[in-house]
Amino acid sequence: MIDLMGLDMLFVIGGAGGHMGATQLEALLTQHGVRCVVVGVPKSIDNSILLVDRCFGFETAVNEAQRALFAAKVEALSTWHGIAVVKLMGHASGFIALEASMASGIVDACLIPEIRFLLDGEAGLSTYLDRLLQRQGSAVVCVAEGAGQHFFDTPHRDRAADRDVGPWLAAALKERHPGAYVKYIDPSYLVRSVPTVSSDRTYCKVLAHNAVHAAFAGFTGTTVGLVNTHYVLLPIPFVTQAPRRVDPQGNQWNRLRAANGQPNFT
């Protein structure tokens, strides 16, 4: 179809899956002798593209996710021993949960896929929430959708619905804190559907410009991105070999822990 339509430039906007498809498509074009360059533009709301500082849309997602966290804080404060659980996007990477928790300043416990947290025991989340409820009367828990998957590593939990950490965590906390009011909020569709903030609009246009420049220069099998504050071209196989993840020993995660005082729950 590309050859039939006379296309000589193909731009692929997407995450790791989209970029893997771009690599396969480029190989197919080369195999059949079709002269068409393939250039990628990284787009992942989880901000999980390897090597790239951020994807466009990420700041919008963080900005909107804060609204859900602020609403959760109101819910938790509105009742005796209120616990509000908010599930945010982040299947393999916890950047949205981390940044939204840091920016809002009202999250007491942030759970991300990069850290296998304990629920029970002295170092567990439940014990920590007990102390919070006694001290301040309420708590807000922000959990990335990919966190806590180790709790589902059993044969009878193989469907996606059975591995949904949000409702499971809310139910588990309600069971362990029978005197508490547990509220669960999932703002995923609200976060995905809002208009982008101005910084994301500008960033998206700059990436588009660079993608077009790369295509006109004859580069193929490459993607554009911001790396260490510089706009660069990267070979697509470099960014698809693994997801970009939060470093549990890095500055971002430890800034959050210093700000809200939470342990690692390990």
Side-chain angles (χ1 to χ4, degrees), residues 11-246:
F11 300 96
V12 179
I13 304 173
H19 279 71
M20 288 179 185
T23 299
Q24 295 174 352
L25 184 56
E26 185 208 4
L28 193 61
L29 293 172
T30 301
Q31 178 184 342
H32 290 276
V34 179
R35 297 173 63 86
C36 178
V37 297
V38 179
V39 180
V41 179
K43 173 65 179 78
S44 166
I45 200 169
D46 299 346
N47 205 37
S48 59
I49 302 296
L50 191 65
L51 301 177
V52 178
D53 291 349
R54 64 183 174 92
C55 297
F56 71 89
F58 174 69
E59 289 190 357
T60 301
V62 171
N63 191 60
E64 187 63 22
Q66 289 181 78
R67 298 178 184 270
L69 293 175
F70 290 137
K73 182 66 172 179
V74 172
E75 287 287 340
L77 287 172
S78 297
T79 186
W80 173 253
H81 282 188
I83 300 176
V85 178
V86 180
K87 186 187 73 172
L88 298 178
M89 286 85 73
H91 179 70
S93 306
F95 287 105
I96 292 182
L98 168 58
E99 292 292 337
S101 297
M102 186 69 178
S104 66
I106 51 90
V107 172
D108 298 295
C110 177
L111 309 174
I112 59 176
E114 291 82 353
I115 297 178
R116 292 168 62 98
F117 67 90
L118 297 175
L119 189 58
D120 300 306
E122 185 60 29
L125 173 65
S126 182
T127 302
Y128 180 67
L129 292 180
D130 275 333
R131 294 196 295 267
L132 284 178
L133 293 178
Q134 293 301 319
R135 185 171 72 244
Q136 62 188 35
S138 64
V140 176
V141 180
C142 178
V143 56
E145 63 182 343
Q149 294 302 304
H150 53 285
F151 290 109
F152 305 131
D153 290 337
T154 55
H156 66 282
R157 288 187 177 273
D158 54 356
R159 296 185 301 118
D162 291 334
R163 302 177 71 90
D164 192 342
V165 70
W168 174 85
L169 181 61
L173 293 179
K174 186 175 295 185
E175 178 183 343
R176 288 161 174 78
H177 304 274
Y181 174 80
V182 180
K183 184 70 173 181
Y184 171 61
I185 299 175
D186 182 353
S188 298
Y189 290 105
L190 294 176
V191 173
R192 293 177 188 273
S193 60
V194 295
T196 56
V197 297
S198 57
S199 59
D200 271 333
R201 290 174 184 266
T202 302
Y203 182 44
C204 183
K205 288 181 179 179
V206 174
L207 290 178
H209 292 167
N210 281 293
V212 172
H213 289 323
F216 271 101
F219 288 98
T220 186
T222 187
T223 190
V224 299
L226 191 67
V227 179
N228 291 332
T229 72
H230 292 77
Y231 291 97
V232 301
L233 299 178
L234 296 167
I236 289 179
F238 278 25
V239 302
T240 57
Q241 56 188 320
R244 179 171 178 257
R245 311 191 76 199
V246 175

